[in-house]
């Protein structure tokens, strides 16, 4: 089941992390991503397996591109970084498939 439009209440700007160059980190152009933003502190695991505190979680359509280390600007103007992006697939059940983007 696709992520329903009525749940896409918040708009954030995502600059996807592309890698490292000789002058530092490289990011793609900023793209508006609509989703459901939950500003709640919780403990999550980074891709490296470290326990990290997440201050917000964005639930967005599965096609969203937001790899770890991407830069994100929240609706209130605060800037943050993606800790991890985790696919949440309902496996055919009547629940929305989405990408859970964990933010610092």
């Amino acid at each position: 089941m696709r992520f329903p439009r009525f749940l896409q209440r918040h708009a954030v700007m995502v600059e996807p992390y592309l890698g490292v160059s000789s002058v530092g980190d490289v990011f793609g152009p900023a793209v508006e991503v609509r989703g459901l933003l939950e500003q709640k502190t919780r403990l999550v695991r980074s891709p490296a397996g470290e326990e990290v505190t997440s201050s917000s979680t964005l639930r967005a359509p599965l096609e969203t591109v937001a790899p770890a280390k991407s830069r994100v600007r929240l609706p209130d103007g605060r800037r943050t970084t993606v800790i991890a992006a985790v696919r949440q697939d309902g496996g055919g059940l009547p629940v929305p498939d989405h990408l859970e983007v964990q933010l610092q």
Side-chain angles (χ1 to χ4, degrees):
M1 173 183 200
R2 291 188 51 81
F3 193 66
R5 181 77 179 144
F6 76 89
L7 289 177
Q8 299 176 33
R9 310 292 289 178
H10 304 101
V12 301
M13 297 301 290
V14 176
E15 294 175 62
Y17 178 75
L18 301 177
V20 180
S21 74
S22 59
V23 293
D25 292 337
V26 178
F27 298 90
V31 176
E32 182 181 84
V33 174
R34 297 201 59 85
L36 186 62
L37 182 65
E38 177 185 17
Q39 297 193 36
K40 174 182 169 184
T41 303
R42 64 188 181 130
L43 200 57
V44 298
R45 289 208 182 270
S46 72
E50 306 162 330
E51 287 188 343
V52 182
T53 302
S54 171
S55 63
S56 304
T57 302
L58 176 70
R59 289 172 176 81
L62 276 178
E63 60 270 11
T64 300
V65 177
K69 299 184 182 179
S70 295
R71 297 189 293 208
V72 179
R73 186 168 38 96
L74 301 178
D76 63 5
R78 185 170 65 91
R79 294 185 183 275
T80 186
T81 304
V82 174
I83 298 168
V86 182
R87 284 180 57 93
Q88 300 294 337
D89 186 337
L93 294 174
V95 295
D97 301 333
H98 63 280
L99 187 70
E100 181 180 299
V101 183
Q102 302 161 346
L103 304 168
Q104 272 186 333

